[in-house]
Amino acid sequence: MKIIINHSSMVPIYEQLIDQIKTMILNEELKENDALPSVRALAKELKISALTVKKAYDNLEEDGFTVTVHGKGTYVAQANKEAQREAQQREVEEDLEAAVSKARRYGMEDGEIRELFALIMEE
């Protein structure tokens, strides 16, 4: 499993793990019942804390992307594309809300925000 951690990113490491593993599942690079590396193995490979990996795995399970079998490991859950898509949509919605809030804090009017969004969408 190829995961790249950006230590200089403002995004917490556990969120980077979650995002990359979710992407691999949604792109079917990881398929149903595929085993994820153990918490310790992935932590050692990425040179990060096992608690960070555990937090990411717990979040993935909470979101329905993985299933943990005590004593056996963590596996990709049965595909529920609708639930996965909804989770992604919630994340994007939260990011957009944060961007709009930031723009308003900077004094931008709604029309300016819409224009900026339209420009970004053209790219």
Side-chain angles (χ1 to χ4, degrees):
M1 188 161 69
K2 185 178 181 185
I3 293 179
I4 299 169
I5 299 299
N6 181 351
H7 293 281
S8 62
S9 172
M10 295 298 288
V11 178
I13 293 172
Y14 81 96
E15 286 183 14
Q16 292 180 47
L17 283 172
I18 292 168
D19 290 344
Q20 290 182 53
I21 293 171
K22 279 183 181 180
T23 299
M24 285 185 236
I25 292 170
L26 292 170
N27 292 340
E28 296 183 356
E29 292 170 45
L30 289 173
K31 297 183 182 352
E32 182 180 333
N33 296 322
D34 281 356
L36 270 57
S38 72
V39 169
R40 287 187 188 142
L42 188 57
K44 184 177 180 181
E45 177 184 330
L46 299 174
K47 296 179 176 76
I48 59 175
S49 166
L51 292 174
T52 302
V53 176
K54 175 82 170 103
K55 185 173 184 177
Y57 278 18
D58 288 348
N59 277 279
L60 287 164
E61 187 164 13
E62 230 175 76
D63 292 344
F65 285 87
T66 61
V67 175
T68 301
V69 179
H70 186 69
K72 295 212 178 216
T74 301
Y75 300 88
V76 176
Q78 183 176 13
N80 182 344
K81 294 289 185 191
E82 189 174 312
Q84 292 172 348
R85 184 76 175 141
E86 193 173 306
Q88 285 179 320
Q89 227 170 340
R90 272 194 312 271
E91 285 182 39
V92 170
E93 188 177 319
E94 289 170 7
D95 291 345
L96 289 172
E97 285 175 355
V100 169
S101 293
K102 186 175 192 176
R104 286 183 176 149
R105 277 195 315 274
Y106 289 163
M108 294 178 74
E109 299 290 325
D110 286 356
E112 292 175 295
I113 297 169
R114 284 186 186 96
E115 281 180 40
L116 187 56
F117 185 73
L119 280 172
I120 292 168
M121 289 299 296
E122 286 177 9
E123 293 176 2

